[in-house]
Amino acid sequence: MRVMGLLKADKDSEAGAPPSKELMERMGAFIEEVTKAGVLLATDGLQPSAKGKRVRVAGGKVTVTDGPFTESKELVASYALMEVKSMAEAVEWTRRFLEVLGKGECEIRPLFEPTDFPPEVFSPEEAKREDATREQMKKNVKKKKR
């Protein structure tokens, strides 16, 4: 099962404060371990909300709001996409990550898989289209890394 982990932002992440060299080394070693274990599929930290925008559509009207956003408890500082056997395994990796950080709160949620939808919603044609789109996404990532 694929699970998305979302690290909640705090005053330090919102201030754009860089981690210490020691923390970067500990996080690097942990990320290397999770990756070698075949669990980690993707991860990145997010810039502070001051550098972001919110886009909202309501009643056919588009509203764009510049950051920073005041409700920091609703903000995300980083994410991790994991492939795990169970939510218990996702909890264990997340617990270990938070121990490396020494603080924080993460939300972990499973991603929808094709088998979560009835066949009349996710038809073989739709599955074929999704497979092609995901292949293009992989190509996009490889292209960006060059």
Side-chain angles (χ1 to χ4, degrees):
M1 86 182 341
R2 291 178 304 151
V3 175
M4 177 69 71
L6 304 168
L7 176 65
K8 302 275 179 131
D10 61 19
K11 63 178 175 45
D12 293 334
S13 63
E14 274 300 285
S20 68
K21 183 180 188 304
E22 295 78 18
L23 179 55
M24 283 296 287
E25 289 171 355
R26 289 194 319 265
M27 283 193 318
F30 179 74
I31 289 170
E32 183 178 27
E33 177 187 353
V34 180
T35 301
K36 284 181 178 177
V39 171
L40 191 61
L41 304 177
T43 187
D44 278 301
L46 303 176
Q47 295 270 347
S49 70
K51 296 184 178 186
K53 297 183 181 295
R54 283 195 176 152
V55 180
R56 179 174 285 139
V57 175
K61 182 181 176 194
V62 178
T63 305
V64 179
T65 305
D66 293 333
F69 308 119
T70 56
E71 281 298 317
S72 63
K73 67 181 179 188
E74 297 176 8
L75 298 177
V76 176
S78 66
Y79 74 92
L81 181 60
M82 301 177 278
E83 179 77 40
V84 293
K85 293 179 182 82
S86 66
M87 283 299 283
E89 182 183 2
V91 167
E92 179 59 20
W93 284 113
T94 302
R95 179 194 63 77
R96 290 191 53 209
F97 170 69
L98 290 172
E99 285 179 349
V100 168
L101 288 181
K103 64 176 184 171
E105 178 182 348
C106 284
E107 178 178 340
I108 54 176
R109 295 170 54 185
L111 275 63
F112 279 110
E113 300 292 347
T115 55
D116 294 325
F117 300 102
E120 62 273 11
V121 172
F122 197 76
S123 65
E125 295 80 16
E126 192 60 36
K128 198 172 178 179
R129 180 168 70 172
E130 180 174 324
D131 288 345
T133 301
R134 289 190 184 276
E135 281 304 312
Q136 182 61 53
M137 287 183 214
K138 288 179 189 174
K139 291 176 186 174
N140 293 350
V141 169
K142 287 179 183 175
K143 190 186 319 179
K144 296 286 183 194
K145 289 183 178 180
R146 290 185 200 154

